[in-house]
Amino acid sequence: MAAVCDGPRMASGMQDKQYTPSLLSFFIYNPTFGPREGEEEKKILFYHPIDVEKNEKIRNVGLCEAIVQFTRTFCPTKPAKSLHTQKNRQFFFEPEDNFWIVMVVRNPMIEKPNKDGKPPTTEYQEEEILDTVYGAVVRQCYSMYKLFNGTFGRAMEAGGVELLIQKLEKFFYRYLQTLHLQSCDLLDVFGGISFFPLDKMTYLKIQSFVNRVEESLSLIKYTAFLYNDQLIWSGLEQDDMRILYKYLTTSLFPRHSEPELAGRDSPLRPEVTGNLLHYGRFLTGPTNFKDPEAKFRFPKIFVSTEDGYEELHLIVYKAMSAAACFMINASVELTRAFCEQLDSLVGPQLTLLASDICEQFTINRRIAGPEKEPQFKFIYFNHMNLAEKSTIHMRKTASVSLTSVHPDLMKILGDINCDFARVDEDEEIIVKAMTDYWVVGKKSDQRELYVILNQKNANLIEVNEEVKRLCATQFNNIFFLD
């Protein structure tokens, strides 16, 4: 991948060039597939970049195999997770027995120009990359593959190594292009879900809508409901919803985002019975199902069940800012008649609901009054329901992470999170950053809260009081241990 030059910085009249982390290679191998000498190439199931010479691939895979085996002698139950070198960092993950995924990331670096026409000096920033963040990215890669293809073992049962190689190439060739490693941060570690805040009445309307649709269209097995890219309702298991949510919000929705028509989100509905506004459309499946040539194929996903997994059609249907995901057993063939029935039933109701939610949201905002720029920014994560909230991220998609704080502060948040992961007890860490900022991390009863305060002359006691005030106003119904 080409290095991304991240805004050259001025230094001593000449420019330093800064390069962000980038993907050097990504490969999947199984050491049991080529155990004899001369058969090493059989171990390699997928290798990116594709144009690497065969012997180099074999050498790189062999080195990873040796590192994993060597580290097993010290801790047989916990194999190596990463290897740090001056120029890069390697991440190892064994998602299924003997199947290894390896990602090699080039460390960020600074090129300093030299006088007298000498080549520039390169300084690698070895400690800038966090193992927890990029380890989570590797696990996400596997989870996303599994969502659309099932396990590696499933492909092996269905068509042996050839089928598995085919599936890996087809999926990862496209998926790796969407990896933007310079945008990865603490939110990738959590892999949480942003929930839309709703009043009880509107929530009940949505629950009633889901029940009505599932009753009228009995083929529907699971439903998920989102508004403004935030989750409101889901019938799936948490871990399945977590990865489906990531796919929807970082891939599917951004591809279909188009400027909503002015005023469309709060249409003035004349009080006339039978007036049914309908702004619904399918985001998956046929773009125009009225086209006689339309093919009624929907993406298939795999979700876990008590005794394995099941394959489902994924229908994503959107009206304005509301989206409903309907999942139907993959053994059922979906027809034009079914899609027309779903469109006529769901379209008007979803349009109405989107309008109601928007109205309610606007009223709540008006009651709350104008938002003042707070003195603090925070990230909150709840391990029990995967709820995530960030006022640090102005925008977080697969390709861009727009944060309102300096990357050095994001790095401190990641370091605090690493400290929390090492112990099971609840704890609090307060850090005074070099730039007049205070960074506070609180871990309490499966919940984590990270606060960044810009209070130049504050002392430790004042910072502690400020965080208590924040907990009282923003998280008044959540119990944080003092």
Side-chain angles (χ1 to χ4, degrees), residues 386-429:
L386 307 181
E388 169 185 280
K389 189 176 181 186
S390 169
T391 61
I392 287 172
H393 294 80
M394 297 175 284
R395 189 155 156 255
K396 174 89 169 131
T397 64
S399 59
V400 68
S401 178
L402 275 181
T403 55
S404 52
V405 300
H406 193 274
D408 289 352
L409 293 171
M410 291 305 293
K411 169 85 169 39
I412 293 172
L413 294 184
D415 289 334
I416 294 175
N417 172 257
C418 291
D419 287 339
F420 285 166
R422 287 193 192 104
V423 288
D424 289 333
E425 290 82 39
D426 295 340
E427 60 177 321
E428 184 174 30
I429 296 173

Side-chain angles (χ1 to χ4, degrees), residues 408-409 412 431-439 456:
D408 289 352
L409 293 171
I412 293 172
V431 178
K432 174 78 167 77
M434 299 289 281
T435 50
D436 299 328
Y437 282 93
W438 287 86
V439 182
K456 190 175 179 178

Side-chain angles (χ1 to χ4, degrees), residues 4 41 55 74-75 92 112 134 166-167 177 185 203 255 260 274 278 306 355 415 426 428 471:
V4 183
E41 198 182 2
N55 286 338
F74 302 103
C75 187
F92 314 106
K112 299 193 169 189
Y134 292 95
Q166 249 175 44
K167 282 180 173 290
Q177 292 175 30
D185 58 30
Y203 183 77
R255 279 207 310 270
E260 299 287 1
H278 182 341
E306 281 177 15
S355 172
D415 289 334
D426 295 340
E428 184 174 30
C471 291

Side-chain angles (χ1 to χ4, degrees), residues 79-98:
K81 286 184 180 168
S82 69
L83 172 71
H84 298 204
T85 67
Q86 182 198 9
K87 293 183 179 179
N88 60 47
R89 196 165 298 187
Q90 302 187 17
F91 299 92
F92 314 106
F93 177 47
E94 185 184 24
E96 298 172 38
D97 282 351
N98 292 314

